[in-house]
Amino acid sequence: MTTTDIGTSLAQVGLDEQADLLRIATAGSVDDGKSTLIGRLLFDSKAIFEDQLASVEATSEKRGDEYTDLALLTDGLRSEREQGITIDVAYRYFSTPRRKFIIADTPGHVQYTRNMVTGASTADVAIILIDARKGVLEQTRRHSYLSSLLGIPNLVVCVNKMDLVDYDEAVFNSIRADFDKFADNLSVGQIDFVPISALKGDNVVTKVSDIPGSADAMPWYEGPTMLDLLETIRVAHSEADGEFRFPVQYVIRPQRSDGLDHRSFAGTIAGGAVSEGDEIVVLPKGQRSAVTKIWAPGGREVATARAGEAVTIAIADEIDIVRGEMLAHADAQPKRGTELSATVCWFADDSELTAGRNYLLKQTTRDTRSVVTSLDYRLDVNTLATDSAAETLALNEIGRVTLRTQSPLMYDKYGTNRATGAFILVDEVTGDTVAAGMIEGAGETESGVVWHAGAVSSGDRAALLGSDGARRTIWLTGLSGSGKSSIATELEKALLSAGHNAYVLDGDNLRHGLNSDLGFSEADRTENIRRTAEVAALLTDAGVVAICALISPLESQRELARQAHDRLGVEFTEVFVDTPISECEKRDPKGMYAKARAGEIQNFTGVSAPYEAPQNPDLHITPEVGTAAEAAERIIARLFSDDTSTVI
Ligand SMILES: Nc1ncnc2c1ncn2[C@@H]1O[C@H](COP(=O)(O)OS(=O)(=O)O)[C@@H](OP(=O)(O)O)[C@H]1O
Ligand SMILES: Nc1ncnc2c1ncn2[C@@H]1O[C@H](COP(=O)(O)OP(=O)(O)O)[C@@H](O)[C@H]1O
């Protein structure tokens, strides 16, 4: 069942999804009485529908049970009854006058860890169930570790079946002490303990002192019932309290009477809040604007909207924004990058995670190709021990990996924001979801792959080779036919004549070798640009002026190229060859525009694929510049002078 389904179901039972809603994950083994506990919660809080109760009571009478077997209310899946285990994630929702609840009844068995990761990943509270006769088991630790790993802020530890240990306070205290021993490794906000009997209802909804037959059973416990706790727990929604994050789900382009399309952007706020007038930044482009309008579902205009709300946002400037991009407050942006360190749980039962494999990565509304560059360790969720020798992750196993993505992600650490800090990996061939991941941070600093400084530092090399402004990459971007290659050639000639070692990296040429495996999809172009930028940065660091001539159509791709240079501490000069498409089509030396117009070439930049003109290039070559040689001459003159103007 998806979140949307839950939302629909809530509406069916008159629950407003956005009201004070507490998401609960129940984890515990089949025998701990989990299903009975949920049945008791639903039954005692009067959330059971009459028809369901009648059939359950009839079944219990038929079996001669002393108490109605409330587990039957929640073991809805036939196979649960047959196997006596919870196989999938069953969602139950109920409300009391004080709060609304969704319970994700997640599996207890280790072979269904992936279901727990799925069902519990948005929970506010995890109910950890312990059979008073058995005490803390390995699965108790596993459920608690997983709840902590999933960032669930609150744990309610229910010591169940107290009636079977004569409500012995010493048993309860011993179990609590055992739990506290390993709880130090948990990163949860609050842990509460409640002694209960789900079968008899003691302390679930009704205080044990108010239950006939148990009234004086636990005089030593004066704490709240489980329901009291669930109704009053203050959930630290890190997302709601965090920074504004708005992954764009889709772009709305209503035609106005003036024929202009004033776009607005729809999605669900993944963090923080946004108000009309807020200054925002469009990521990863980096362009800024301001929020002009916010509409709630149904078209109601609102001044402010918060995490979890589905809204449509309009901004002041006409910026080309597409699905998968993100709006954030300009002064509180998410991290951006292509190297991630993440904890993943492997879901596939017919394959294993191995380093070097490519996967489609889906994070918020963004999809990008990715590769697992290393499996850093496998985690034992029963003990939290790590195995750094592990080379694979099999079904339900959890480990720490380093990933590289083709397009930059805008993310937060999972512990900061479970929406922007989470992703799934999808098999590119089958389309199956093979893993769920939680971002821990930027990869290069945590993946164990460290940069080995050479014998000569970059600065020393500059001194040795002389760095009179030439040690930089000159990155020429522009439409096909704009003149990039011609200018690059002239630049190389002029720099070499002036005694500077220079080398052209031309997109066309590199596609015959280094990038021969790449096409012209956005992901492939991003990879093309990433690889070329990494090579250019190394060349420049070695003292060669790298002159790159690639269309590099998107701001985010050019940002990726700049980041590769920033990381090495070498100069990156973005030169926008601003030749209008009309002129490029007139030139059309390879006849590609004509073919693109005729539909013989797909995804052709400027015709059937976007080109985002640089907003703030370091140098802007206008059409008036004249020949390629003149352009090259002016670029060099500008780079070797103190003149900081950008237009040439
Ligand atoms: N679909 C499509 N779109 C754009 N260009 C195409 C395409 N198919 C082939 N070509 C030829 O490939 C050259 C662009 O390669 P680049 O590596 O510079 O492009 S990119 O930076 O990866 O977008 C470009 O060469 P230049 O004209 O020198 O720019 C094109 O002639
Ligand atoms: N400044 C210019 N004025 C007129 N034509 C030019 C100029 N620069 C390049 N050209 C011509 O335009 C065509 C495309 O140039 P090229 O450098 O290959 O562009 P790109 O590398 O951007 O595709 C070539 O035929 C080239 O001779």
Side-chain angles (χ1 to χ4, degrees):
M1 178 183 267
T2 64
T3 307
T4 311
D5 298 348
I6 294 177
T8 308
S9 311
L10 286 171
Q12 282 165 348
V13 293
L15 295 181
D16 166 6
E17 195 177 1
Q18 293 314 320
D20 181 18
L21 178 66
L22 189 76
R23 287 179 167 79
I24 304 167
T26 53
S29 87
V30 176
D31 311 324
D32 294 343
K34 185 177 50 152
S35 299
T36 305
L37 173 62
I38 296 174
R40 172 63 65 184
L41 265 179
L42 298 172
F43 177 71
D44 288 4
S45 63
K46 308 286 183 286
I48 298 299
F49 301 107
E50 291 314 314
D51 57 332
Q52 277 182 301
L53 184 57
S55 67
V56 164
E57 284 171 336
T59 306
S60 296
E61 272 171 32
K62 204 180 297 175
R63 291 185 342 195
D65 293 344
E66 181 192 357
Y67 289 91
T68 300
D69 182 353
L70 298 172
L72 295 174
L73 289 173
T74 56
D75 286 354
L77 297 174
R78 186 173 49 79
S79 42
E80 281 173 337
R81 293 207 187 100
E82 284 162 5
Q83 299 180 43
I85 58 174
T86 301
I87 286 187
D88 203 352
V89 182
Y91 290 95
R92 295 277 181 273
Y93 25 82
F94 69 101
S95 70
T96 66
R98 295 165 73 183
R99 202 170 220 176
K100 296 169 176 52
F101 304 89
I102 297 181
I103 299 182
D105 179 8
T106 54
H109 285 235
V110 64
Q111 68 263 38
Y112 296 110
T113 298
R114 66 178 172 181
N115 305 67
M116 180 175 174
V117 168
T118 306
S121 58
T122 58
D124 304 310
V125 179
I127 294 177
I128 304 293
L129 216 50
I130 296 175
D131 182 329
R133 297 168 301 174
K134 301 174 186 170
V136 173
L137 305 174
E138 180 180 86
Q139 67 202 21
T140 311
R141 284 192 289 276
R142 181 172 69 252
H143 296 151
S144 305
Y145 286 143
L146 277 173
S147 301
S148 166
L149 205 63
L150 292 168
I152 299 176
N154 297 70
L155 295 189
V156 174
V157 180
C158 293
V159 181
N160 191 22
K161 305 188 183 180
M162 286 299 294
D163 53 319
L164 300 182
V165 293
D166 295 330
Y167 300 99
D168 186 342
E169 180 182 11
V171 169
F172 176 74
N173 291 339
S174 162
I175 288 171
R176 177 170 188 158
D178 286 349
F179 192 94
D180 282 340
K181 274 189 202 131
F182 76 87
D184 292 343
N185 295 321
L186 304 180
S187 56
V188 291
Q190 177 182 328
I191 302 177
D192 292 284
F193 294 82
V194 187
I196 66 169
S197 162
L199 187 66
K200 298 176 70 178
D202 300 339
N203 270 351
V204 177
V205 175
T206 311
K207 278 188 177 301
V208 65
S209 51
D210 298 337
I211 293 185
S214 313
D216 54 359
M218 289 191 272
W220 45 270
Y221 180 75
E222 294 177 356
T225 65
M226 215 186 102
L227 185 61
D228 286 340
L229 266 177
L230 296 178
E231 286 183 323
T232 55
I233 270 181
R234 176 176 175 332
V235 181
H237 274 294
S238 57
E239 293 80 7
D241 307 335
E243 300 300 347
F244 171 56
R245 302 286 184 261
F246 184 70
V248 174
Q249 213 154 347
Y250 51 92
V251 180
I252 300 171
R253 288 186 174 84
Q255 287 299 329
R256 292 198 333 177
S257 55
D258 58 10
L260 290 176
D261 67 352
H262 284 258
R263 301 188 189 96
S264 53
F265 309 99
T268 299
I269 298 177
V274 65
S275 300
E276 282 180 5
D278 282 2
E279 184 188 357
I280 53 95
V281 61
V282 180
L283 298 172
K285 295 180 177 23
Q287 290 166 280
R288 298 188 178 207
S289 185
V291 173
T292 53
K293 287 196 185 308
I294 305 169
W295 292 276
R300 178 170 51 87
E301 206 173 310
V302 293
T304 297
R306 290 174 178 74
E309 293 177 12
V311 294
T312 300
I313 293 176
I315 60 175
D317 301 281
E318 278 300 307
I319 298 175
D320 185 16
I321 300 174
V322 296
R323 174 186 168 84
E325 295 187 312
M326 186 184 285
L327 307 188
H329 282 144
D331 58 356
Q333 299 184 29
K335 295 182 187 301
R336 259 188 283 175
T338 57
E339 293 273 338
L340 303 174
S341 173
T343 297
V344 296
C345 178
W346 192 250
F347 284 0
D349 48 15
D350 55 359
S351 69
E352 295 182 338
L353 177 142
T354 49
R357 283 287 307 274
N358 287 323
Y359 300 97
L360 180 62
L361 183 146
K362 292 173 175 282
Q363 178 245 9
T364 63
T365 57
R366 197 165 179 76
D367 298 352
T368 176
R369 285 182 80 194
S370 69
V371 59
V372 174
T373 51
S374 66
L375 171 57
D376 305 327
Y377 58 76
R378 179 165 56 218
L379 178 76
D380 179 332
V381 285
N382 292 323
T383 63
L384 284 189
T386 59
D387 172 7
S388 53
E391 294 185 353
T392 61
L393 286 185
L395 175 62
N396 288 310
E397 291 187 331
I398 291 179
R400 177 68 69 87
V401 300
T402 300
L403 292 153
R404 185 175 67 232
T405 60
Q406 279 192 349
S407 301
L409 293 190
M410 292 72 73
Y411 67 89
D412 298 284
K413 288 190 174 185
Y414 183 78
T416 305
N417 185 316
R418 289 190 286 179
T420 57
F423 61 87
I424 59 172
L425 295 180
V426 174
D427 184 300
E428 290 183 310
V429 175
T430 64
D432 294 342
T433 297
V434 292
M438 294 158 276
I439 299 173
E440 306 294 344
E444 67 268 20
T445 55
E446 297 187 15
S447 61
V449 176
V450 295
W451 178 264
H452 295 285
V456 179
S457 75
S458 187
D460 296 346
R461 193 188 306 277
L464 283 170
L465 298 170
S467 63
D468 45 5
R471 285 185 75 255
R472 69 179 68 233
T473 286
I474 300 173
W475 188 279
L476 298 155
T477 172
L479 291 169
S480 174
S482 55
K484 303 183 300 295
S485 304
S486 303
I487 293 172
T489 305
E490 294 300 331
L491 275 172
E492 186 183 47
K493 278 195 303 193
L495 284 166
L496 286 169
S497 308
H500 300 288
N501 192 357
Y503 191 80
V504 173
L505 295 173
D506 189 296
D508 255 329
N509 300 350
L510 292 171
R511 286 173 173 276
H512 290 78
L514 175 66
N515 300 331
S516 57
D517 59 326
L518 299 173
F520 288 89
S521 67
E522 181 185 329
D524 278 6
R525 291 179 195 248
T526 301
E527 179 61 6
N528 177 44
I529 288 148
R530 189 193 65 78
R531 291 183 198 172
T532 306
E534 294 290 351
V535 171
L538 290 172
L539 274 177
T540 301
D541 192 39
V544 177
V545 178
I547 305 165
C548 301
L550 288 86
I551 295 177
S552 41
L554 304 182
E555 186 73 27
S556 58
Q557 293 162 340
R558 301 186 292 258
E559 174 64 20
L560 205 57
R562 185 180 294 276
Q563 285 175 4
H565 289 74
D566 293 350
R567 207 168 52 241
L568 275 186
V570 293
E571 283 285 312
F572 178 86
T573 300
E574 182 185 21
V575 180
F576 174 27
V577 184
D578 185 5
T579 306
I581 192 164
S582 54
E583 173 60 20
C584 295
E585 292 206 56
K586 203 185 294 176
R587 298 172 180 177
D588 201 9
K590 308 172 201 169
M592 300 194 86
Y593 278 98
K595 288 178 185 163
R597 291 292 181 201
E600 293 166 28
I601 300 178
Q602 306 307 315
N603 203 19
F604 192 78
T605 309
V607 175
S608 45
Y611 179 82
E612 294 168 352
Q615 298 299 301
N616 303 299
D618 299 308
L619 292 176
H620 184 169
I621 311 292
T622 59
E624 294 68 40
V625 77
T627 67
E630 285 162 345
E633 191 180 324
R634 293 197 193 181
I635 290 171
I636 290 175
R638 188 65 53 83
L639 293 181
F640 287 78
S641 73
D642 299 333
D643 182 347
T644 57
S645 60
T646 56
V647 178
I648 285 183

